[in-house]
Amino acid sequence: MELIDQFFYNFTHNLFKPLLLFFYLGFLVPLLKVPLEFPPALYKALTIYLLIAIGWHGGEELAELSPNNLSDAVGFMIIGFVTNTIVGIMAYYALRSMTHLRKIDAATVSGYYGSDSAGTFVTCVGVLVAANIAYAAYMPVLLAVMEIPGCLVALYMVARIRHSGQMDDSGTMPGEPGYNSVSGRVHDVKQGHSQKIFSKKALHEIFFNPGLFLLFGGIAIGFISRLQGVHVTEANDKFFVVLFQGVLCLFLLEMGMTACSRLKDLRLGGPGFIAFGLIAPNVFAGIGILVAHAYSMFVGHPFQIGTYVLFAVLCGSSSYIAVPAVQRIAIPEASPTLPLAASLGLTFSYNVTIGIPVYIMLATAITTASPVQ
């Protein structure tokens, strides 16, 4: 009963925090046909600020970690990379069994889910800070590391489909609606079996996409600065700390508008696709909590509840920045709307409203039922 009471407390208190109220406000804009457009330049500026602020704070905290905590962080990075790789593969086979998506679209969507969401992460950080729930200082580093596997999974899956020699110019395979057998043969001749799985351009987009660059850059700057005795992200810092919550509110206003506008594209995927977008975050986040707890038992000491929750969010969220950029370059045949409809319209919306309190409850239940000795 205590856990259920705690869940409802977290659920009701998180559901009506200013952060999420701004998300709901943005969500209402397309529904009510309010003639409001969020300036693209402002959205980019907010994203840049949030990534640098999160990275800088994480870098400063990283510089003060003890050798034991630093080894925990490195272990978490390796485990996080492997876990999100497995999540991406699981997502592909789940989509193949639950939906009627083309193989190339299923591969692309699986890449979105094998990556993570900076927006969900920063929202979760805001909720944890407001609820005074502690988390490990190195988690922003995991945000950067765990963004990469989904891109690699998508590229590998699509390369396998292309190398089968049956895909037509539009990305359709035999047995899928609209397949053009003549185009498929021509496509096979053009592509050949010598096509590289990971082109130089695609790899550059993965490892040097703007989000990853800014996040790693902020981490490096914070780490080097703190080693030199510079303290920027203290509690009284007006720009990187005091303004953070306000900037996050504006960011969520835009995310609400975008999420709602993507919902109409869900009908293209069908009921199974909608079910996947709502079920997947719970399954993958649950796996994340179990993996984090197993790692905690391996190292022999418990992690803070916020660490479990953030790791769950990194496993259970879906990319909408890094993977779309890679898709645009390396997988032009895939649908550009379906993955974003699930990622933003369903998974992001679910995670920032219902998911976070659910993950707090799950982490608390698991660590209480099986405490690390």
Side-chain angles (χ1 to χ4, degrees):
M1 285 297 294
E2 184 180 345
L3 282 175
I4 294 174
D5 291 340
Q6 186 179 10
F7 165 73
F8 280 109
Y9 176 84
N10 286 323
F11 180 77
T12 54
H13 281 68
N14 289 331
L15 204 60
F16 301 107
K17 286 185 182 300
L19 287 176
L20 295 186
L21 291 175
F22 271 93
F23 178 78
Y24 305 144
L25 183 66
F27 204 88
L28 287 173
V29 169
L31 292 178
L32 301 178
K33 295 182 171 52
V34 179
L36 173 65
E37 289 187 17
F38 204 91
L42 179 58
Y43 169 73
K44 289 182 180 179
L46 297 178
T47 304
I48 290 170
Y49 168 87
L50 290 170
L51 289 171
I52 290 178
I54 285 284
W56 194 323
H57 181 71
E60 287 193 342
E61 295 295 330
L62 200 61
E64 296 190 341
L65 290 181
S66 66
N68 285 339
N69 286 335
L70 197 57
S71 65
D72 286 350
V74 173
F76 241 137
M77 289 177 214
I78 296 170
I79 290 169
F81 189 94
V82 172
T83 303
N84 258 9
T85 301
I86 294 170
V87 162
I89 295 169
M90 289 176 63
Y92 175 76
Y93 289 104
L95 285 162
R96 292 293 296 154
S97 63
M98 294 176 64
T99 73
H100 298 291
L101 295 183
R102 299 183 305 164
K103 282 186 177 181
I104 196 165
D105 290 324
T108 306
V109 174
S110 69
Y112 279 64
Y113 282 83
S115 185
D116 56 36
S117 162
T120 311
F121 184 87
V122 295
T123 305
C124 188
V125 167
V127 170
L128 294 176
V129 169
N132 293 316
I133 298 174
Y135 59 90
Y138 49 75
M139 295 309 289
V141 183
L142 266 70
L143 169 63
V145 170
M146 292 174 68
E147 192 174 43
I148 298 168
C151 301
L152 300 179
V153 167
L155 290 176
Y156 175 72
M157 291 291 188
V158 170
R160 285 182 58 192
I161 296 168
R162 285 176 178 158
H163 288 191
S164 70
Q166 297 177 302
M167 187 176 77
D168 69 12
D169 281 337
S170 66
T172 307
M173 296 288 286
E176 296 174 347
Y179 176 68
N180 185 331
S181 59
V182 175
S183 172
R185 287 195 293 272
V186 173
H187 187 81
D188 184 30
V189 171
K190 288 191 297 183
Q191 295 292 336
H193 290 274
S194 61
Q195 184 188 29
K196 293 180 180 179
I197 293 177
F198 302 111
S199 69
K200 183 178 178 181
K201 191 174 183 181
L203 287 174
H204 184 275
E205 189 65 33
I206 292 171
F207 292 101
F208 292 98
N209 72 76
L212 210 60
F213 178 79
L214 289 171
L215 190 60
F216 269 128
I219 291 168
I221 290 169
F223 183 80
I224 295 168
S225 300
R226 183 58 66 94
L227 289 180
Q228 294 177 330
V230 178
H231 298 261
V232 173
T233 59
E234 300 297 319
N236 61 350
D237 178 74
K238 289 185 172 56
F239 188 74
F240 282 111
V241 177
V242 177
L243 285 178
F244 185 85
Q245 292 285 326
V247 172
L248 187 52
C249 287
L250 291 177
F251 177 79
L252 284 171
L253 174 68
E254 197 281 339
M255 292 303 295
M257 294 166 62
T258 304
C260 184
S261 65
R262 291 290 178 184
L263 287 178
K264 64 180 183 297
D265 296 324
L266 289 171
R267 66 180 183 274
L268 300 174
F273 188 59
I274 295 172
F276 173 84
L278 294 173
I279 294 170
N282 294 286
V283 174
F284 298 149
I287 290 171
I289 292 173
L290 291 174
V291 167
H293 192 54
Y295 180 54
S296 174
M297 289 182 165
F298 174 77
V299 298
H301 60 80
F303 297 125
Q304 296 158 313
I305 290 296
T307 301
Y308 286 95
V309 176
L310 284 173
F311 192 73
V313 160
L314 291 173
C315 294
S317 59
S318 176
S319 174
Y320 56 85
I321 297 175
V323 183
V326 173
Q327 177 189 349
R328 186 177 64 250
I329 291 173
I331 320 173
E333 305 97 334
S335 166
T337 56
L338 277 172
L340 288 173
S343 177
L344 284 172
L346 292 177
T347 299
F348 179 83
S349 302
Y350 173 82
N351 274 330
V352 299
T353 53
I354 300 171
I356 293 172
V358 168
Y359 308 151
I360 293 172
M361 183 193 71
L362 280 176
T364 305
I366 290 171
T367 53
T368 302
S370 177
V372 178
Q373 302 298 329

